[in-house]
Amino acid sequence: MNASIPVIIDCDPGVDDAVALFLAFAAPELDILAVTTVGGNVPADRTARNGRLLRQIAGLTDQPPVYAGAAQPLERSLDIADHFHGPEGLGTLEPFEPSVPLAAGSSAEAIVDLVMEAAPGTITLAVTGPMTNVALALRREPQVAERLKRIVAMGGSRSEGGNITASAEYNIWADPEAAHEVLSAAVEVVMLGLDVTHQVRTPDAVIDTIRAIGTPAAEATAAMLDYGQYTARKWREGQEGPMHDPCVIAYILRPDLFDVRPCDIQVETISTLTRGHTQVEFRLAEGATPRHFWGVKADRDGVFDLIVSALRAQA
Ligand code: BDR
Ligand code: CA
């Protein structure tokens, strides 16, 4: 199959980011132009190492290039989420120094260069971490907004409540000013927040199926999914861990697995209490052209089938 969908994956690996990357690396439809990392779940030096380490486990060498990105949010200091991802960001997976170094330049520079070089309206930007790199890229070159095809991001929550505070989801809470800048730019944004990602919880049986595939990527994916179960149970969030970030890649590959609704999304940046809350307004003005789309429903089995078949096809 032709790699017909050009994407940049901006991420903070991260246990569920890792599953998203393994799905993306295994998907022949994707032309991954770059993996741009950002400080988030763990500090930026670790997410940059993890991006390369995961690429190596997937059997890839220097392509796609992996970039290091912002170490701190735009206006705040970084609050990591190692209670969900472990101190190194990848659960129980033993980290190692990858053999291929980082690509030269920052994540934001890479996003600008790739988007400005490509034909307008062709590149999809997949975002699975705080939006700091994306906001920095837009500040550097505002035309990036209109030249992107769209952004598909994991972030926010409407009806599920928050997972880092009562009202906010981690990626948006970590850098609310960045999310505000991105959502204010002239670019289509599909947001897959907790309302959908909480529907994509890992059945135990799927982990066995994935482990049995036997490739290094499948075994590492199974280890990530196991860690997701462990943290869900530890933090009393249920028996099955939600796989947030793989939804972004699944949406790009199979949008039919999701139901998204046109809306307007605003981010709370002022209140300390509700910092990072996403206000999702479905009541758009008559004749308005919606730029934002909010995920309301996901086909969980469809998402896991996609992950299994992609990893199997790679074996
Ligand atoms: C999001 O926060 C991070 O901890 C996960 O990797 C995911 O991107 C879920 O709220
Ligand atoms: Ca993430």
Side-chain angles (χ1 to χ4, degrees):
M1 183 184 293
N2 276 343
S4 51
I5 310 175
V7 291
I8 299 170
I9 304 177
D10 190 70
C11 56
D12 62 336
V15 165
D16 58 329
D17 303 78
V19 178
L21 284 173
F22 284 134
L23 170 59
F25 292 150
E29 302 91 330
L30 297 186
D31 176 14
I32 309 173
L33 304 174
V35 173
T36 56
T37 59
V38 66
N41 288 323
V42 287
D45 58 340
R46 269 171 244 178
T47 60
R49 176 204 60 194
N50 290 350
R52 291 179 296 136
L53 178 163
L54 295 163
R55 176 182 64 184
Q56 192 165 322
I57 292 174
L60 304 168
T61 49
D62 58 349
Q63 294 299 319
V66 176
Y67 294 85
Q72 296 294 333
L74 295 183
E75 295 175 21
R76 302 172 190 256
S77 54
L78 179 66
D79 281 295
I80 60 174
D82 55 350
H83 55 301
F84 271 104
H85 300 271
E88 300 293 333
L90 297 174
T92 54
L93 194 129
E94 200 60 50
F96 57 86
E97 189 49 38
S99 45
V100 178
L102 285 164
S106 71
S107 290
E109 287 165 351
I111 293 170
V112 170
D113 292 349
L114 287 164
V115 173
M116 297 309 288
E117 277 161 18
T122 53
I123 295 182
T124 298
L125 181 54
V127 183
T128 66
M131 293 184 166
T132 321
N133 288 336
V134 186
L136 289 173
L138 289 167
R139 283 182 179 187
R140 215 180 163 83
E141 178 48 88
Q143 280 186 56
V144 161
E146 65 220 45
R147 291 183 70 104
L148 276 169
K149 180 174 185 190
R150 67 174 63 88
I151 292 173
V152 182
M154 190 282 134
S157 181
R158 178 176 179 270
S159 51
E160 281 289 294
N163 62 355
I164 186 82
T165 67
S167 35
E169 178 281 327
Y170 174 75
N171 286 343
I172 306 301
W173 176 87
D175 195 345
E177 286 76 20
H180 167 72
E181 290 187 21
V182 172
L183 286 160
S184 304
V187 57
E188 181 180 309
V189 183
V190 177
M191 287 277 277
L192 304 174
L194 301 181
D195 297 4
V196 273
T197 66
H198 279 175
Q199 297 172 32
V200 183
R201 292 179 180 274
T202 315
D204 281 329
V206 165
I207 306 182
D208 298 335
T209 305
I210 290 177
R211 185 168 282 115
I213 295 170
T215 59
E219 282 170 12
T221 300
M224 298 299 133
L225 296 172
D226 270 340
Y227 201 78
Q229 308 300 68
Y230 160 75
T231 50
R233 289 164 199 177
K234 178 174 175 192
W235 300 110
R236 296 206 175 85
E237 293 201 334
Q239 294 301 302
E240 299 177 330
M243 273 300 118
H244 309 284
D245 295 341
C247 289
V248 168
I249 305 300
Y251 180 88
I252 293 167
L253 293 167
R254 290 278 312 276
D256 59 300
L257 296 175
F258 298 84
D259 184 2
V260 302
R261 305 251 164 100
C263 63
D264 177 65
I265 306 170
Q266 306 278 335
V267 176
E268 174 60 60
T269 55
I270 297 165
S271 156
T272 312
L273 185 65
T274 56
R275 158 185 169 184
H277 172 72
T278 39
Q279 177 188 273
V280 182
E281 177 60 273
F282 290 124
R283 297 166 300 176
L284 298 175
E286 191 79 23
T289 307
R291 215 175 55 238
H292 301 157
F293 294 85
W294 182 254
V296 293
K297 200 158 186 298
D299 173 350
R300 146 179 139 150
D301 293 343
V303 171
F304 284 106
D305 286 351
L306 188 64
I307 296 173
V308 170
S309 49
L311 291 170
R312 228 179 230 149
Q314 227 186 7

